[in-house]
Amino acid sequence: MKELTSITKLTNSFSKLPGVGVKSAERMAYAVLGMCDEDVAEFTDAMIKVKENIHKCPICGVYTEDETCDICSDETRDHSLICVVSDPKDVLAMEKMNSFNGVYHVLGGVIAISKGKGADSLSIDALIDRVKSGGVKEIILATSSTLDGETTAMFVAKLLEGLDVTVTRLGYGLPMGASLDYADSLTLAKAFEGRKKI
Amino acid sequence: MKELTSITKLTNSFSKLPGVGVKSAERMAYAVLGMCDEDVAEFTDAMIKVKENIHKCPICGVYTEDETCDICSDETRDHSLICVVSDPKDVLAMEKMNSFNGVYHVLGGVIAISKGKGADSLSIDALIDRVKSGGVKEIILATSSTLDGETTAMFVAKLLEGLDVTVTRLGYGLPMGASLDYADSLTLAKAFEGRKKI
């Protein structure tokens, strides 16, 4: 049976998405074939709109559909407190927490020495400019607790040295709701280090 | 943080695909945002092309980009042997097996009494016309071995009674309760070998 070129091409596009293998991608391509024209038009339109309407906030780098994001333009938030994350999606997770009232700065990645990825592509200069322009009291480094995340946090902290700002790092320890015997030893050691008097 | 309307819309479209939940759909929407413009254009183009270029073969109902599908127009295949499947995708699985040299007939679904889906929407009349027009020796009913698949096979077999054609059903090499498009080729081959007259 001859291959359907259109299906192969669409399968190829779907398989570029995260967590989608070739078999699922093919199923998805056939699902598109089975959709009504209206749904497909809506789908392609949504895809184009996402690229057209969304850009990064020029101040913090969070995705927004407005000129600057609603966090940066919110006067009720504490602009002296900047939480530094590697990815715009991390801000979503932070905001769901509903207990942080500062603003953000998105680096746009991490330093990954193993992959030859340096600090050049990261938005670190912009962060330093924000600090230098004054009014910033604390920088919370909230990159992941992976090797690359740690390296990045240390690198940024080093560059902020000497500036009039407190630099902190997210606390380490047991994740909430986790069973102790599932925690790895590094996490446990960190939890011991960070123990608090009650 | 304000919701990004464009992301919500695209997430909604992605979650209409089979096997994609809201969380994965959101990840996919962000992945599209992270793609280069060229990849997104290719993606939307592939989606439109799938709908534009592919239609059902007027003889057997298999998806094709040509006027009639390459199986129906292949003179080296045995046109006296028709394998009846419920879905165009099932033909792909059959063809991967590489041991069936007959032709196909796609019903376009199954009778699903529980969902109130009857035989009206299925391409059964067209199958009977093919048999009546002569030259057909055997009909292999290859619907899935689910309740609905069995019901459909029995229903079609009943309608073919009295016509000068042998009606067979795929052997139970198929594991019961499994969907046909997930069967591996060896199982499918065994099922072909073990087909029985009904």
Side-chain angles (χ1 to χ4, degrees):
Chain A
M1 195 187 178
K2 226 168 55 183
E3 238 180 30
L4 296 168
T5 331
S6 319
I7 286 285
T8 312
K9 276 187 187 157
L10 186 53
T11 301
N12 189 28
S13 278
F14 271 121
S15 63
K16 282 179 188 164
L17 296 172
V20 180
V22 178
K23 188 87 191 171
S24 322
E26 200 186 80
R27 276 188 54 164
M28 288 174 186
Y30 275 103
V32 170
L33 184 55
M35 278 180 185
C36 65
D37 286 342
E38 212 172 42
D39 278 1
V40 174
E42 211 170 73
F43 205 148
T44 55
D45 187 56
M47 225 176 256
I48 293 162
K49 286 275 164 61
V50 151
K51 290 295 287 183
E52 271 178 9
N53 296 356
I54 300 181
H55 59 100
K56 286 178 180 171
C57 168
I59 302 171
C60 69
V62 159
Y63 288 133
T64 180
E65 285 169 326
D66 306 315
E67 201 170 331
T68 58
C69 78
D70 57 321
I71 298 172
C72 284
S73 48
D74 186 348
E75 288 302 318
T76 67
R77 295 187 75 126
D78 185 356
H79 289 253
S80 72
L81 187 59
I82 300 180
C83 175
V84 176
V85 294
S86 60
D87 201 275
K89 267 182 292 178
D90 297 335
V91 175
L92 272 180
M94 299 275 177
E95 286 297 288
K96 274 183 192 151
M97 189 176 68
N98 241 332
S99 70
F100 177 70
N101 197 40
V103 293
Y104 295 93
H105 189 87
V106 179
L107 293 175
V110 284
I111 299 170
I113 296 162
S114 57
K115 292 171 195 157
K117 214 187 148 193
D120 315 340
S121 59
L122 303 185
S123 161
I124 299 175
D125 290 344
L127 175 65
I128 291 169
D129 288 346
R130 282 178 82 177
V131 175
K132 278 184 178 164
S133 68
V136 181
K137 284 182 196 139
E138 186 179 345
I139 298 281
I140 307 171
L141 297 171
T143 49
S144 295
S145 58
T146 55
L147 181 66
D148 292 343
E150 289 298 325
T151 311
T152 311
M154 288 310 116
F155 185 85
V156 174
K158 193 88 194 157
L159 290 178
L160 291 169
E161 255 177 26
L163 293 175
D164 185 27
V165 67
T166 309
V167 180
T168 57
R169 176 88 176 105
L170 279 196
Y172 302 103
L174 291 177
M176 293 303 288
S179 174
L180 198 88
D181 54 336
Y182 282 112
D184 61 294
S185 37
L186 198 65
T187 305
L188 269 181
K190 288 287 183 190
F192 264 85
E193 257 178 54
R195 68 185 182 274
K196 276 180 187 157
K197 211 181 159 193
I198 48 174
Chain B
M1 194 186 181
K2 223 168 54 181
E3 238 181 29
L4 296 167
T5 331
S6 319
I7 287 284
T8 312
K9 276 188 186 158
L10 186 54
T11 301
N12 188 29
S13 278
F14 270 122
S15 63
K16 282 179 189 165
L17 296 172
V20 180
V22 177
K23 191 86 191 169
S24 321
E26 198 185 81
R27 275 188 51 166
M28 288 175 186
Y30 274 103
V32 169
L33 183 56
M35 279 181 184
C36 66
D37 286 342
E38 213 173 41
D39 278 0
V40 174
E42 212 170 73
F43 206 148
T44 54
D45 188 56
M47 225 176 257
I48 293 162
K49 286 273 164 65
V50 152
K51 290 294 285 181
E52 272 179 8
N53 297 355
I54 300 182
H55 59 101
K56 287 179 180 171
C57 168
I59 301 171
C60 69
V62 159
Y63 287 133
T64 180
E65 285 170 327
D66 306 315
E67 201 170 332
T68 56
C69 77
D70 58 320
I71 297 172
C72 284
S73 49
D74 186 348
E75 288 302 317
T76 68
R77 295 187 75 125
D78 186 355
H79 288 253
S80 71
L81 188 58
I82 300 179
C83 176
V84 177
V85 294
S86 62
D87 201 274
K89 266 184 293 177
D90 298 335
V91 176
L92 270 181
M94 298 277 173
E95 287 297 289
K96 272 182 194 152
M97 186 178 70
N98 242 331
S99 70
F100 176 69
N101 196 40
V103 292
Y104 294 93
H105 189 87
V106 179
L107 294 176
V110 282
I111 299 169
I113 296 163
S114 57
K115 291 173 196 157
K117 214 189 148 193
D120 314 340
S121 59
L122 304 185
S123 160
I124 299 175
D125 290 342
L127 175 65
I128 291 169
D129 287 345
R130 282 177 84 178
V131 175
K132 279 185 177 162
S133 68
V136 181
K137 285 183 196 137
E138 186 179 345
I139 298 282
I140 307 170
L141 298 171
T143 48
S144 293
S145 60
T146 54
L147 180 66
D148 292 342
E150 288 297 327
T151 310
T152 310
M154 289 309 118
F155 185 83
V156 174
K158 194 85 193 158
L159 290 176
L160 290 169
E161 255 177 27
L163 292 175
D164 185 26
V165 68
T166 309
V167 181
T168 57
R169 175 85 176 106
L170 278 196
Y172 289 108
L174 290 176
M176 294 301 290
S179 177
L180 198 95
D181 56 330
Y182 277 114
D184 60 291
S185 6
L186 195 65
T187 307
L188 270 178
K190 285 285 176 201
F192 259 85
E193 267 172 35
R195 68 184 187 269
K196 277 178 189 159
K197 205 178 163 195
I198 48 174

